[in-house]
Amino acid sequence: MIVLILLGPPLLLGLVLEYILCRFPKSRLWRYLPPAVAAVITWAVALHRYHGWSTIGEKAPVETLLLVPGVSAAGAFLGFFLGWKLWKWIWGPKVVKDRKREG
């Protein structure tokens, strides 16, 4: 259940944000902004959790780094991908096959 709580909101936010940034701005540069910002935030949270685990100098266990920034980041990046695919599916060119005429 905790995985769904950590995965769901970033996935939905990523999907909506990527769809909006693919649909409305004219520049393609905006499409790369959400994944770049998410990568920087994930890196910062992981680095903070790794070094801020204990005052004695112990480093954080790998499981804590995989759960909190890892699952949320995976949800966000999956949302970005699904938002892009949704935009491509709705607004991409459609291929229409002509029927062969009999006669």
Side-chain angles (χ1 to χ4, degrees), residues 37-86:
V37 169
V40 168
I41 289 173
T42 302
W43 178 78
V45 169
L47 191 65
H48 176 68
R49 285 185 58 88
Y50 182 71
H51 289 295
W53 182 254
S54 160
T55 57
I56 301 170
E58 294 179 7
K59 302 301 181 194
V62 175
E63 293 84 13
T64 63
L65 298 176
L66 292 176
L67 183 63
V68 173
V71 173
S72 299
F77 286 111
L78 181 63
F80 297 147
F81 177 72
L82 293 176
W84 176 75
K85 290 298 274 186
L86 179 67

